[in-house]
Amino acid sequence: MGATQQTSENSLIEASALSTSPVALLQGILNASPGCVAYYEPVRSSDNEPGQVIDFVYRVVNTRLCSLIGRPVDQLVGQQMTELSPTVKTNGLFARYVRVLETGEADSFESTYLADGTEGWYMITAEPLASGLVVSLIDITDRKQAELHARRQADELRATLDASLNSILLMRAMRDAAGQIIDFRMETANKSVVNSLFRQPEELVGQTLLSVFPGNVESGFFALYARVADTGYSEQAEYYYQDKNGFRGWFEVSAVRQETDLIVLTFNNVTAQREARLAQEGQTQVLQAILDHSQTAISLHEPVRNEQGQIVDFRPVLANRQALLSLAPLTDVIPQQSVANIQQTDEFARYVRVIETGQPDSFEVAYNNRYYAITIAGADGGVVTSAVDVTNDRQYRFELEAVNRTLQQSNESLQSFAYVASHDLQEPLRRIQAFSDILQNQFEDNLSEGERDMARRIQKSANRMQLLIKDLLAYSQVAAHRDPYAAVDLNDVFDDVVSDLDVSIAEKKATVQVNPLPTVQGSASRLRQLMQNLVSNALKFRRPSVAPFVQIDARPAQPGELPESLPDNVPFWLISITDNGIGFDEKYKDRIFQPFQRLHNVATYSGTGIGLAICQRVAESHGGAIDVSSRPNEGTTFRLFLPVS
């Protein structure tokens, strides 16, 4: 409060300095008022806009107003308002006073006031009186600060509630005449209730619980809230909620009594988590059913470590039904007994190695008179073991190995036969040929015509026998002797074939057209043997009076063109050898690749019937196949399929 010079607290001060007893009485009353009181007279403009209020002049003031402003009475009375308080026009007070004066209607409002650097709150009342204005100011700073403090606390509480990820409701119990709780009124709700109840807080506050959510009784939530309100003991629960409005879901609720009949609910809508958990449990059951129907024994093991972190054991934690059935002694003790206590030491080391390296391992073990193929793989810090009963496969493998040994012995016998045929059989044959030559050359004149015919037949049969033995040797050696495979340019192969057959080609006036061919992996000698047989056949089986024409082409084979014996996921070359010869009926196509099978007269077309069988063996030994298509008197096309290098 500023210093004041006060001549008398009960004196009446007026601009005209008039002093009467009633005035003194009035001044005393004003000074005794708990608020600041002043009477103002307007100052009006006389220039451009006559009559407009441009200021107010203090005419009467009480001592409290002097203290507020910090000036003595004689420095207030007669002074203009805007000179003493320049902010009245910027803070809106001046405009309010003018409006009261011009409308004749009183105004009452709250406003801040700054005096001596101290900010306070005042209830201001302005009323018209005579030609002027009476203004009273009552200090409401304490009340206002209390309100602001309460509001700040409320805002802080609201901010705290709204910052919570949990949904929060404050509810007050509603009781009947007998004191029984019949409903709850929702008094406060935070913003997170939208996430759980899909309603804004303002839609809930002031409403009764059962009017908005009638399903609380059937779900069991209402009984829980009533118990908490009556007993004061907190409770938690998770129930399923459903009502006639179609709202449903799983809710996790915690209820606490804050004061009499006022409870605080913290809850969350856990429908998504609950349904996901149920779905996961369902998937787990499906997965377990799949595992149990698997013929593979599958088990999961976790490592057991000592204080130094070293793996000292493995503990089974899961096994499917096949594991329980197949590995009975082991699974009888799951999970009481560990793998290391049952498995052999080297198998335990395999488990440890898989854990340490992260690399899977596979091996076979004999167990309980059965054979199992074991695969170990890492799985989330543990190992998954799968065991497949391969007893039948192993027995089949044993049988197959026995058959292979028998076949190997047969091949060795065939090789022995080939040796005998090439040496022991051919030697007597050569003697027969030599003696028949002597008979024909030296004793022909001494022989009768019949004897000479017999000598010619002996020589012809011996020659045919020699050719047959030669072809048999070639056929047996295709599979028995295999040259190391290397890159073979088929263009070079056909150049050699055409060169070898140039005499026959010239005699028959044949044309052999070879288009660009690929390079493949194989045996050059075997592939040359195959190609020469095919070209020789094209020259041999020609139509009378028609010059032979042979065309060789190559292109990538399409999957639909491959024979059934070849995989459709491997690329192959298709080499075509086409002629214009006599052809044959395709109903015999399966016979022509069999040894000694002939479709034509031996007297007309020479040969032993082994050439195409050799072609088939060569194609198959190279991982390919051979096929044929033909029409009588139109020609034949052999299709050779060889893997792309």
Side-chain angles (χ1 to χ4, degrees):
M1 182 183 295
T4 60
Q5 295 180 357
Q6 190 172 351
T7 57
S8 174
E9 290 186 359
N10 297 324
S11 63
L12 178 63
I13 303 173
E14 297 180 352
S16 60
L18 296 177
S19 178
T20 60
S21 178
V23 174
L25 179 62
L26 177 60
Q27 184 67 53
I29 294 173
L30 292 176
N31 290 337
S33 174
C36 302
V37 181
Y39 174 72
Y40 303 96
E41 285 187 347
V43 177
R44 297 182 181 274
S45 171
S46 59
D47 297 333
N48 298 331
E49 298 181 9
Q52 181 179 0
V53 178
I54 59 174
D55 210 338
F56 287 93
V57 175
Y58 289 92
R59 292 303 184 192
V60 179
V61 296
N62 69 347
T63 55
R64 290 187 181 275
L65 183 61
C66 294
S67 299
L68 177 65
I69 296 177
R71 289 175 177 257
V73 174
D74 56 358
Q75 292 184 13
L76 281 179
V77 174
Q79 298 297 318
Q80 292 188 359
M81 179 185 295
T82 58
E83 292 180 357
L84 296 178
S85 303
T87 60
V88 293
K89 286 194 174 182
T90 58
N91 62 18
L93 288 178
F94 183 82
R96 281 180 174 269
Y97 296 156
V98 171
R99 187 164 53 250
V100 169
L101 185 66
E102 292 180 346
T103 62
E105 297 178 358
D107 190 7
S108 181
F109 55 91
E110 294 179 357
S111 178
T112 56
Y113 186 86
L114 185 62
D116 291 335
T118 302
E119 183 178 4
W121 280 90
Y122 291 88
M123 175 63 73
I124 301 177
T125 301
E127 296 185 7
L129 178 64
S131 62
L133 190 69
V134 175
V135 176
S136 64
L137 293 83
I138 298 178
D139 190 343
I140 58 172
T141 301
D142 292 341
R143 176 176 65 82
K144 200 66 178 179
Q145 288 178 343
E147 289 179 359
L148 292 175
H149 179 68
R151 185 177 302 170
R152 279 195 299 270
Q153 287 184 325
D155 290 343
E156 290 173 357
L157 176 61
R158 168 57 60 181
T160 302
L161 293 177
D162 289 340
S164 174
L165 297 177
N166 298 320
S167 302
I168 300 175
L169 269 178
L170 273 68
M171 302 194 307
R172 191 172 298 278
M174 301 172 63
R175 300 180 181 270
D176 59 12
Q180 297 295 320
I181 297 177
I182 57 174
D183 208 339
F184 287 88
R185 187 174 303 280
M186 295 176 283
E187 294 188 349
T188 301
N190 71 341
K191 290 182 178 180
S192 292
V193 296
V194 176
N195 301 327
S196 297
L197 304 177
F198 310 109
R199 293 174 180 262
Q200 296 295 331
E202 54 269 21
E203 297 180 71
L204 303 178
V205 174
Q207 303 294 320
T208 59
L209 178 66
L210 296 182
S211 66
V212 182
F213 303 109
N216 272 278
V217 175
E218 291 80 1
S219 64
F221 282 121
F222 186 85
L224 183 150
Y225 303 154
R227 285 196 304 272
V228 173
D230 285 336
T231 66
Y233 292 109
S234 303
E235 289 193 34
Q236 294 179 343
E238 182 178 311
Y239 293 142
Y240 180 76
Y241 175 91
Q242 185 174 2
D243 61 30
K244 61 184 179 181
N245 299 323
F247 182 54
R248 65 177 188 85
W250 286 91
F251 290 86
E252 187 179 65
V253 175
S254 174
V256 178
R257 189 174 75 178
Q258 184 176 6
E259 60 183 52
T260 303
D261 285 347
L262 183 65
I263 63 173
V264 178
L265 300 184
T266 303
F267 60 96
N268 284 303
N269 188 326
V270 294
T271 305
Q273 297 91 314
R274 184 64 180 261
E275 291 178 348
R277 187 172 64 196
L278 293 175
Q280 184 176 11
E281 291 174 356
Q283 290 177 349
T284 302
Q285 293 174 356
V286 171
L287 178 60
Q288 186 64 46
I290 293 173
L291 291 176
D292 286 342
H293 283 81
S294 173
Q295 296 303 307
T296 302
I298 302 173
S299 56
L300 175 65
H301 310 270
E302 63 181 9
V304 178
R305 299 178 183 270
N306 59 17
E307 295 180 355
Q308 290 74 35
Q310 297 174 329
I311 298 176
V312 296
D313 215 334
F314 281 90
R315 183 184 301 110
V317 295
L318 178 67
N320 70 341
R321 184 168 58 185
Q322 188 62 31
L324 298 175
L325 294 174
S326 302
L327 309 176
L330 171 61
T331 53
D332 283 345
V333 294
I334 288 178
Q336 290 82 8
Q337 192 168 350
S338 66
V339 172
N341 292 335
I342 298 172
Q343 301 289 356
Q344 299 300 321
T345 303
D346 58 340
E347 294 179 27
F348 173 75
R350 289 178 183 271
Y351 279 72
V352 174
R353 189 161 53 249
V354 169
I355 290 288
E356 293 177 346
T357 66
Q359 298 298 319
D361 192 6
S362 298
F363 56 96
E364 284 190 9
V365 296
Y367 182 77
N368 199 22
N369 297 323
R370 307 290 292 180
Y371 290 97
Y372 293 92
I374 308 294
T375 300
I376 308 174
D380 194 24
V383 290
V384 171
T385 300
S386 63
V388 180
D389 189 334
V390 293
T391 304
N392 295 335
D393 294 340
R394 185 134 182 186
Q395 291 174 348
Y396 174 75
R397 188 169 63 192
F398 291 155
E399 294 172 359
L400 185 60
E401 289 173 353
V403 171
N404 286 337
R405 286 193 295 270
T406 302
L407 288 175
Q408 186 175 2
Q409 293 172 357
S410 298
N411 286 334
E412 291 174 354
S413 298
L414 182 60
Q415 292 178 23
S416 298
F417 168 76
Y419 178 81
V420 171
S422 63
H423 292 83
D424 298 347
L425 291 180
Q426 290 198 67
E427 181 60 27
L429 188 60
R430 282 193 292 270
R431 288 180 177 273
I432 293 173
Q433 289 175 319
F435 287 137
S436 63
D437 288 340
I438 293 173
L439 286 173
Q440 280 188 319
N441 297 329
Q442 298 182 17
F443 301 101
E444 183 177 8
D445 294 339
N446 298 326
L447 298 176
S448 64
E449 183 61 31
E451 292 172 338
R452 286 195 295 271
D453 181 62
M454 290 177 63
R456 285 194 297 270
R457 289 189 181 189
I458 291 172
Q459 191 172 38
K460 185 176 180 180
S461 296
N463 291 336
R464 189 168 181 274
M465 184 65 180
Q466 189 177 41
L467 180 61
L468 181 60
I469 292 174
K470 178 182 177 182
D471 286 347
L472 278 174
L473 282 172
Y475 181 73
S476 65
Q477 290 172 354
V478 169
H481 301 284
R482 175 175 293 181
D483 298 335
Y485 281 179
V488 178
D489 188 343
L490 294 183
N491 295 289
D492 296 338
V493 170
F494 269 98
D495 287 344
D496 292 341
V497 168
V498 173
S499 176
D500 289 345
L501 298 175
D502 58 352
V503 175
S504 179
I505 292 172
E507 289 178 351
K508 296 178 173 59
K509 298 181 181 180
T511 301
V512 179
Q513 179 178 322
V514 182
N515 292 319
L517 301 174
T519 296
V520 298
Q521 287 289 323
S523 167
S525 61
R526 297 303 180 198
L527 290 173
R528 178 178 175 180
Q529 185 179 21
L530 183 155
M531 302 302 181
Q532 186 159 336
N533 282 343
L534 294 178
V535 176
S536 296
N537 273 1
L539 297 175
K540 180 193 304 183
F541 298 103
R542 63 189 181 90
R543 284 182 287 169
S545 69
V546 176
F549 178 80
V550 184
Q551 180 172 329
I552 297 94
D553 296 301
R555 62 175 175 82
Q558 300 299 317
E561 298 175 317
L562 298 177
E564 294 182 358
S565 61
L566 297 182
D568 57 3
N569 60 344
V570 176
F572 285 87
W573 288 112
L574 170 56
I575 295 95
S576 301
I577 299 90
T578 304
D579 63 52
N580 61 344
I582 61 175
F584 63 89
D585 192 331
E586 286 194 3
K587 66 181 180 181
Y588 302 114
K589 65 182 295 184
D590 293 334
R591 289 176 50 188
I592 67 173
F593 293 109
Q594 298 177 12
F596 310 113
Q597 294 294 322
R598 298 175 57 87
L599 302 182
H600 306 289
N601 192 329
V602 177
T604 307
Y605 300 98
S606 63
T608 60
I610 296 180
L612 291 180
I614 292 176
C615 291
Q616 186 179 52
R617 274 209 169 188
V618 172
E620 291 176 350
S621 67
H622 283 74
I626 190 169
D627 194 10
V628 65
S629 61
S630 182
R631 287 189 178 183
N633 297 318
E634 292 186 13
T636 302
T637 298
F638 285 94
R639 293 186 297 275
L640 175 64
F641 298 90
L642 294 176
V644 174
S645 299

